[in-house]
Amino acid sequence: MKKHTYILASLLLVGGIALAQKSNLKRANKLFEMRAYIEAAELYETKERNQEVLQNLADSYYYNANLQKAIKAYRELFVSYGDSIDIEFHFRFAQALKGVKDYKEADVHLSRYYNQRINTPAFIELTEKTTPHTFKLKQIANEIGTNSDFGLSFYGDDKVAFASTRNTDNPSYSWNNLPYLDLYSGTLSAEGKLENVTPFSDEINTDSHESNAVFSKDGKTMYFNRTNNTRAKTEEERIAHVQIFKADLVDGNWTNVTELPFNSTKYSCEHPSISKDGKTLYFASDMPGTIGSFDIYKVAINEDGTYGTPENLGANVNTKHREQFPYISDLDVLYFASDGHLGFGGLDVFRSNLVNGIFDKPVNLGSSINSSLDDFAYTIREKDNQGFVSSNRGGFDRLFGFGREENILTKYLVEGVVQDKNSKDLLAGSLVTLFDEAGNVLQDSIVGAKADYLFKIEPNKKYKIRGTRKAYIPQDVEFSTDSKGKIQHNIYLTLESFDDAEERVKQNEKGDVQVELDKIYFDFNRSKIRKDAAVTLDVLVDLMKKYPSMEIEVSAHTDVRGKDQYNLDLSKRRAASTLEYLVSKGIDRSRLKSIGYGEMQPINKCVKVGICTKEEYEENRRCEFTILN
């Protein structure tokens, strides 16, 4: 009886532990659903590490930028459950790896995710040469060390506005355990320190999040974000959506706070930005019809104060991931943050120019402003080349001021066209190759209909540019970008055809360019090169030594007299013998090709036995030397 009591107690204990484990997992999942990632991660760490637990644990760390722990959990997930993991985990794992600058492993996962080879180091190298500007960042002094500040914007002539978690009286946000965001105004000292920091009124700041304030040109209208107090249930989770509000400045006070009509409790609209003329509002949203997580939209602001229908900016700007924090400058240049376009890690800042009413392909602003973590909320006064950006590269969201300069590396280039030396015709289809000082190929290009080329180059280097084309003499031009050279080079490559340069080179009726030599004779049924044939072939040897790039096809032909196979074999032997003679005179074998055509390519009407004279048949017994390159 005692033994049965122990067994029953053990079963009850095990069952109780199992129920507790199940209950705790449900709580962890609930916290994860509510985006309380810090608490969720703490609970997941105590659970048995099945696929669901590892996925949510890794994501909890990832969404809170705890990248080392996220990488550890993602790696365990992939080792344990590789083939069954949703493809989106490859993307987040890669972003976490980029966050610690492990580009090699990150590119393995990104290549699988995009189903194409991704080479982030090569992208970074190219970006340094092509991004329009370089930036000098300076962190704006912050006396409160543990709060997050972001989204600094111009506010009138001498003020700035920003969002901050510095109000410790606010409740904590479960995502990161920091106080809810409020909006503040202030001024910047000459040393770049925030001064005269004052919260906006209670009509603007509520018990919810407020952020991303922007102002009309006359300073009388403000748009800003505010998060719903209630959470809407989606298919997967409960989310407190963000909405855009408008406020008016009346007698020095911000009032008449109203939400915009295209807001919804089912999706977010956030990060407003106003065009210079005040007629267009840009914003980010995950409303139905988005390409990805968040897209950039625009909406017309009508003269009567109403709004048009939001328009998605399309696939040039938006990806299947996040595009957020749009800023439209006075020059109608769109700046925004994205982790969907190739970047350095996390959110990067990009720019896109408005061309004929459409925003063109975005350009990454480069490593002088983007880091391996999140960089966002970019604003600029184009005429002053001064602006602000936010970044969490130090662990918390921080404000940075910057000045920008034109990227001198974009000015280093070599360009030109390829044309015929004599006719001046453009030579479309030519190959242009750029070499470094050691002779390594750096870039090459087949020129198009305009026969033009352009290569980006670097300072303090020596280069060689080469133009090549079939049946033309290559041209090499050396140049440098060192202290004795120039930043920009315009080099016309003028190629001369072999048939223009050499009297013996002619183009036949089929368009083949051939070296015309005296006729080569062989003894009957023999393929050995005779002394008189050698004298003739030496002319070709001299020509090929004069032009080291020239490649020749040696072809031998017979007439129709004799058996077909016999004639074919004999022509092959004679062509091969001719090739070997040229090699014996110092011509590299790789520049030569031999082929025997037998009786298959007559140059006259003598295609049957008995219909021509001996002299006419003799015309078909020949060797030809066709220029291949």
Side-chain angles (χ1 to χ4, degrees):
M1 182 69 182
K2 191 172 183 181
K3 180 179 179 181
H4 291 300
T5 302
Y6 284 141
I7 293 172
L8 179 60
S10 298
L11 289 172
L12 289 172
L13 178 61
V14 170
I17 292 172
L19 285 172
Q21 285 277 354
K22 188 174 182 180
S23 174
N24 285 341
L25 182 58
K26 286 181 67 175
R27 172 164 169 71
N29 289 342
K30 185 69 173 178
L31 289 168
F32 184 80
E33 177 188 310
M34 301 293 287
R35 301 187 180 183
Y37 294 124
I38 292 178
E39 291 182 74
E42 290 174 354
L43 274 178
Y44 284 129
E45 285 284 15
T46 67
K47 302 292 160 258
E48 181 182 347
R49 294 167 100 80
N50 59 30
Q51 184 171 347
E52 179 190 22
V53 167
L54 283 172
Q55 289 178 170
N56 291 353
L57 174 64
D59 281 352
S60 294
Y61 286 134
Y62 170 73
Y63 289 130
N64 259 324
N66 193 336
L67 299 185
Q68 293 289 2
K69 289 188 175 181
I71 289 169
K72 182 180 178 182
Y74 280 130
R75 187 167 283 129
E76 185 178 348
L77 172 66
F78 277 92
V79 168
S80 302
Y81 301 100
D83 292 338
S84 64
I85 299 171
D86 187 274
I87 193 67
E88 291 299 325
F89 286 94
H90 285 277
F91 180 82
R92 291 195 286 277
F93 189 18
Q95 291 297 322
L97 289 163
K98 277 191 171 186
V100 299
K101 299 185 178 180
D102 185 351
Y103 296 128
K104 183 176 181 180
E105 187 175 359
D107 285 347
V108 171
H109 291 275
L110 286 177
S111 297
R112 179 166 179 180
Y113 181 78
Y114 288 111
N115 196 28
Q116 65 183 41
R117 185 171 180 268
I118 301 297
N119 187 336
T120 299
F123 158 79
I124 292 172
E125 182 180 352
L126 178 62
T127 299
E128 300 309 298
K129 302 175 188 177
T130 56
T131 192
H133 299 95
T134 58
F135 299 83
K136 292 183 178 178
L137 267 64
K138 183 178 180 181
Q139 185 173 330
I140 293 172
N142 181 2
E143 295 178 353
I144 305 174
T146 58
N147 66 292
S148 288
D149 298 336
F150 72 89
L152 199 68
S153 62
F154 297 102
Y155 175 22
D157 294 330
D158 57 353
K159 288 184 179 181
V160 292
F162 63 99
S164 178
T165 60
R166 63 184 59 205
N167 185 359
T168 55
D169 292 335
N170 278 346
S172 293
Y173 183 30
S174 58
W175 182 307
N176 54 19
N177 285 347
L178 292 175
Y180 274 40
L181 292 162
D182 280 340
L183 283 170
Y184 292 81
S185 67
T187 58
L188 281 176
S189 70
E191 295 76 30
K193 182 179 179 181
L194 270 175
E195 297 178 338
N196 306 312
V197 175
T198 306
F200 279 80
S201 68
D202 289 346
E203 194 160 357
I204 301 298
N205 290 326
T206 66
D207 290 337
S208 188
H209 288 292
E210 282 80 28
S211 62
N212 292 98
V214 294
F215 302 87
S216 60
K217 189 175 181 180
D218 62 11
K220 295 181 180 180
T221 303
M222 172 171 62
Y223 292 92
F224 64 96
N225 293 345
R226 179 178 288 166
T227 304
N228 289 343
N229 286 319
T230 57
R231 292 173 177 261
K233 177 70 174 176
T234 69
E235 291 182 4
E236 298 178 353
E237 55 190 349
R238 289 187 178 275
I239 298 173
H241 290 293
V242 182
Q243 297 179 331
I244 299 175
F245 285 74
K246 174 189 172 186
D248 299 320
L249 186 63
V250 179
D251 298 328
N253 297 311
W254 289 105
T255 186
N256 300 331
V257 178
T258 56
E259 65 174 277
L260 300 193
F262 48 82
N263 286 327
S264 173
T265 58
K266 296 181 179 180
Y267 54 80
S268 289
C269 294
E270 59 188 28
H271 310 152
S273 179
I274 315 170
S275 63
K276 181 181 180 180
D277 61 11
K279 295 180 178 180
T280 308
L281 185 73
Y282 293 82
F283 63 97
S285 179
D286 60 348
M287 66 175 60
T290 56
I291 296 172
S293 171
F294 273 84
D295 285 359
I296 308 298
Y297 285 79
K298 68 176 181 179
V299 64
I301 303 173
N302 301 319
E303 290 186 7
D304 61 1
T306 60
Y307 298 84
T309 301
E311 299 177 45
N312 191 299
L313 293 194
N316 270 0
V317 170
N318 295 313
T319 70
K320 65 180 295 186
H321 295 287
R322 288 188 294 161
E323 279 70 48
Q324 295 175 297
F325 298 95
Y327 176 78
I328 190 73
S329 78
D330 288 350
L331 300 180
D332 281 334
V333 178
L334 176 69
Y335 298 91
F336 63 96
S338 172
D339 64 3
H341 297 282
L342 191 57
F344 293 82
L347 291 171
D348 276 5
V349 181
F350 293 80
R351 64 174 282 160
S352 177
N353 297 314
L354 187 62
V355 180
N356 297 324
I358 298 173
F359 286 101
D360 63 7
K361 183 179 179 181
V363 174
N364 190 296
L365 293 195
S367 63
S368 62
I369 194 167
N370 289 317
S371 69
S372 60
L373 297 174
D374 287 334
D375 306 284
F376 56 98
Y378 175 104
T379 60
I380 189 170
R381 282 179 169 158
E382 300 268 19
K383 62 182 177 66
D384 300 326
N385 286 311
Q386 301 288 324
F388 309 113
V389 70
S390 302
S391 177
N392 70 350
R393 64 188 67 185
F396 291 93
D397 292 335
R398 290 288 181 258
L399 302 169
F400 292 82
F402 64 76
R404 75 175 187 186
E405 298 176 350
E406 195 171 21
N407 182 6
I408 189 65
L409 291 182
T410 64
K411 299 298 182 182
Y412 282 85
L413 56 88
V414 56
E415 61 183 336
V417 298
V418 188
Q419 60 184 170
D420 187 287
K421 180 179 179 180
N422 298 296
S423 70
K424 306 305 180 186
D425 291 339
L426 297 178
L427 297 178
S430 300
L431 172 66
V432 182
T433 307
L434 181 69
F435 299 88
D436 65 13
E437 189 175 8
N440 300 309
V441 175
L442 300 177
Q443 304 174 61
D444 55 26
S445 175
I446 303 292
V447 300
K450 296 181 180 179
D452 57 336
Y453 69 91
L454 186 152
F455 296 133
K456 291 288 185 180
I457 51 180
E458 298 178 6
N460 301 313
K461 297 286 180 69
K462 292 182 179 180
Y463 296 96
K464 179 171 65 178
I465 196 104
R466 174 179 294 166
T468 54
R469 183 179 178 84
K470 182 180 178 181
Y472 275 74
I473 304 166
Q475 183 188 15
D476 287 355
V477 179
E478 295 182 351
F479 64 97
S480 72
T481 57
D482 57 20
S483 59
K484 297 179 182 179
K486 297 186 298 183
I487 289 177
Q488 297 182 357
H489 295 260
N490 196 314
I491 299 175
Y492 275 62
L493 295 169
T494 54
L495 307 186
E496 187 172 23
S497 64
F498 285 119
D499 58 336
D500 281 338
E502 296 293 336
E503 189 176 349
R504 287 185 174 274
V505 178
K506 305 290 182 185
Q507 189 175 102
N508 65 19
E509 62 277 3
K510 295 189 296 183
D512 294 330
V513 179
Q514 297 179 328
V515 180
E516 292 189 346
L517 301 177
D518 295 338
K519 193 162 187 178
I520 295 176
Y521 292 97
F522 294 88
D523 291 332
F524 178 74
N525 195 29
R526 302 289 297 275
S527 57
K528 183 178 179 180
I529 300 297
R530 297 183 354 179
K531 287 184 179 181
D532 55 347
V535 172
T536 300
L537 289 175
D538 285 343
V539 175
L540 180 59
V541 170
D542 292 341
L543 192 65
M544 293 190 73
K545 288 182 176 180
K546 182 178 178 180
Y547 301 112
S549 67
M550 181 183 284
E551 297 178 4
I552 294 289
E553 178 189 88
V554 179
S555 59
H557 305 262
T558 69
D559 58 41
V560 296
R561 294 174 296 179
K563 293 184 178 180
D564 294 354
Q565 189 61 48
Y566 169 82
N567 285 336
L568 181 61
D569 293 342
L570 179 60
S571 67
K572 287 180 179 179
R573 292 198 305 274
R574 287 177 173 175
S577 180
T578 303
L579 183 149
E580 292 302 327
Y581 178 82
L582 297 172
V583 171
S584 74
K585 291 296 183 175
I587 304 302
D588 193 292
R589 189 181 299 275
S590 64
R591 299 170 59 195
L592 298 165
K593 176 183 176 183
S594 71
I595 187 167
Y597 288 102
E599 60 191 58
M600 292 184 291
Q601 294 186 358
I603 57 174
N604 58 24
K605 65 180 185 345
C606 303
V607 295
K608 292 181 180 180
V609 177
I611 64 172
C612 294
T613 66
K614 178 181 179 181
E615 290 73 21
E616 287 174 322
Y617 283 120
E618 286 285 346
E619 290 179 20
N620 290 328
R621 292 173 56 193
R622 68 198 189 277
C623 276
E624 292 179 336
F625 306 93
T626 304
I627 296 177
L628 298 176
N629 195 14

